Amino acid sequence: MRILVIGGGGREHAIAKALTKNVAVEKIWVAPGNGGTEAFCENVPIAATDLEGVLGFCKKNHPDFVVVTPDDPLALGMVDLLEDNEFACFGPTREAAKLEWSKNYAKEFMAKYNIPTASYVLCKDSGEAKEYVKTCPIPIVLKADGLAQGKGVVVAQTREETVRGCDQLTSKGDQPILFEEMLTGPEVSVLCFTDGKTIVPMPAAQDHKRAFDGDKGPNTGGMGAYSPVSVYTSAMAERCMEEIFRPTVDGMVKEGHPFKGVLYFSLMLTPDGPKVIEYNSRFGDPETQAVIPLLNSDLLNIMLATRNGKLDRAKVKFLDNCSACVVMASAGYPGSYEKGKVIVGVEEAGKYGTVYHAGTARRGDNALITSGGRVLCVSSLGRSLRQALRNCYKGVGAIKFEGAFYRSDIGSKDAGAKEE
Ligand code: AMP
Ligand code: GLY
């Protein structure tokens, strides 16, 4: 079997690596891939958003299966285009992925199907939003209606911050702004395989979105994750299935857009029960790099079963271990940063876990260099979260590149909770 994976992040590296475990896999292409996928796949220089480029590649090379994981190509309808051309894909259609790419659609959907989420007010343009900020309740959360790569949300504690946040979100063109009630409580990400009928949740993960220790600094794509999460008990998992996962998956069938792929529930466990912060229509990054190493079944078989509506027959088992990953980023990320710094110590780090590459590339002389903001992550397993984290940080300590930074407190709030 020959597979094309779309994307070039740590998530795609982790997915491609897990796919190689199936003996039927003869070849994996990754478009565009990174310095890590290059070692065992063929990187294809086509951007993940280049729908025509990907279709052209498929017509020429006939992959048996295409795995589409980044948000942009899903929102652009890559799965629809490829499936229309008879290329089997893992991932939701554009209309199913709307749960992620339109926050307003997701909010209306949740209201219709009685799925718990923060209450909200929608301002349809910047004029309305600028008027509303003068009197809205404080604190409040502002969200731009569309994909914003983690930069479309402002959590405002004061009126001043609210006004500034509104200016920031409306500065890049007029767009609807959602004002949401601010929820409190621990956050968890639950990624579920679903074929539109069966729902198989993966162990819950926690991301660390802020750039610096102590949840300080700007929001990023995610600086590290761990799994499982102790506050997400089996009783909570049952409750989320009943109140959130099942109504969402059934609701999408009723809407005429059954969701097939990975549906990622970003949840806040509030004093009033679990509530949806947002939906993502795909695997998370870096949650995937923490969760996929726990998978003790064949990822390709699960993905094929999901695509073919037979997830009820697939074996999906996870190890009873703890897992964590710690991201190393370029100085300046998530703002501007320099590229081209030589990375050393990746092999040494491999003694303590798996190094998943993201913003890496090979220079002409074959040296591994930085080529992005989130450069790579070290992902490790352990019998306890503490042990997993110890392994991650040993690995991180072995890797050096100029300007490297990482958070030193990934999982620390939970690490005492599950003893070795
Ligand atoms: P999102 O991009 O929607 O996941 O939001 C980014 C982050 O903003 C989340 O991980 C939360 O920490 C925070 N956030 C989003 N919505 C809310 C809300 N209604 N209440 C409190 N925090 C929120
Ligand atoms: N880690 C957050 C995301 O994948 O959206």
Side-chain angles (χ1 to χ4, degrees), residues 113-178:
Y113 293 99
N114 222 2
I115 296 164
T117 185
S119 59
Y120 73 107
V121 167
L122 175 75
C123 291
K124 65 178 188 315
D125 56 35
S126 62
E128 248 183 47
K130 282 182 178 153
E131 210 41 51
Y132 185 64
V133 288
K134 294 181 188 160
T135 55
C136 69
I138 305 282
I140 201 157
V141 180
L142 292 77
K143 298 186 176 183
D145 184 41
L147 293 181
Q149 271 150 9
K151 290 174 194 143
V153 177
V154 176
V155 181
Q157 302 288 349
T158 62
R159 177 92 40 210
E160 243 182 19
E161 279 176 22
T162 311
V163 173
R164 222 179 314 131
C166 182
D167 288 342
Q168 182 193 319
L169 294 184
T170 51
S171 67
K172 289 180 194 114
D174 213 5
Q175 58 178 334
I177 306 283
L178 281 170

Side-chain angles (χ1 to χ4, degrees), residues 11 71 100 150 189 207-209 220-223 264 278 280 282-288 374:
R11 169 182 55 198
D71 50 4
E100 174 168 7
S189 306
D207 189 8
H208 295 64
K209 289 209 166 98
T220 69
M223 294 298 292
Y264 161 159
E278 66 167 357
N280 290 319
R282 52 177 173 81
F283 280 99
D285 188 335
E287 289 93 332
T288 303
R374 289 193 292 179

Side-chain angles (χ1 to χ4, degrees), residues 103 118 141 143 150 153 155 180-183 187 209 219 266 268 277-278:
K103 289 191 189 278
V141 180
K143 298 186 176 183
V153 177
V155 181
E180 259 187 34
E181 162 201 15
M182 192 170 100
L183 302 175
E187 274 183 69
K209 289 209 166 98
N219 259 327
S266 173
M268 200 166 258
I277 294 203
E278 66 167 357

Side-chain angles (χ1 to χ4, degrees), residues 40-61:
F40 63 101
C41 306
E42 185 181 331
N43 285 352
V44 181
I46 300 174
T49 47
D50 179 359
L51 269 63
E52 288 306 321
V54 168
L55 179 62
F57 177 88
C58 290
K59 285 184 171 166
K60 193 161 162 224
N61 295 283

Side-chain angles (χ1 to χ4, degrees), residues 19-87:
L19 291 173
T20 61
K21 291 189 183 153
N22 185 309
V23 291
V25 174
E26 299 152 49
K27 179 170 188 87
I28 302 180
W29 293 279
V30 190
N34 59 40
T37 55
E38 195 185 276
F40 63 101
C41 306
E42 185 181 331
N43 285 352
V44 181
I46 300 174
T49 47
D50 179 359
L51 269 63
E52 288 306 321
V54 168
L55 179 62
F57 177 88
C58 290
K59 285 184 171 166
K60 193 161 162 224
N61 295 283
H62 299 281
D64 301 295
F65 198 41
V66 185
V67 177
V68 188
T69 39
D71 50 4
D72 299 333
L74 291 169
L76 290 168
M78 186 179 279
V79 168
D80 312 53
L81 179 71
L82 296 180
E83 288 276 358
D84 285 349
N85 282 274
E86 288 174 12
F87 294 108

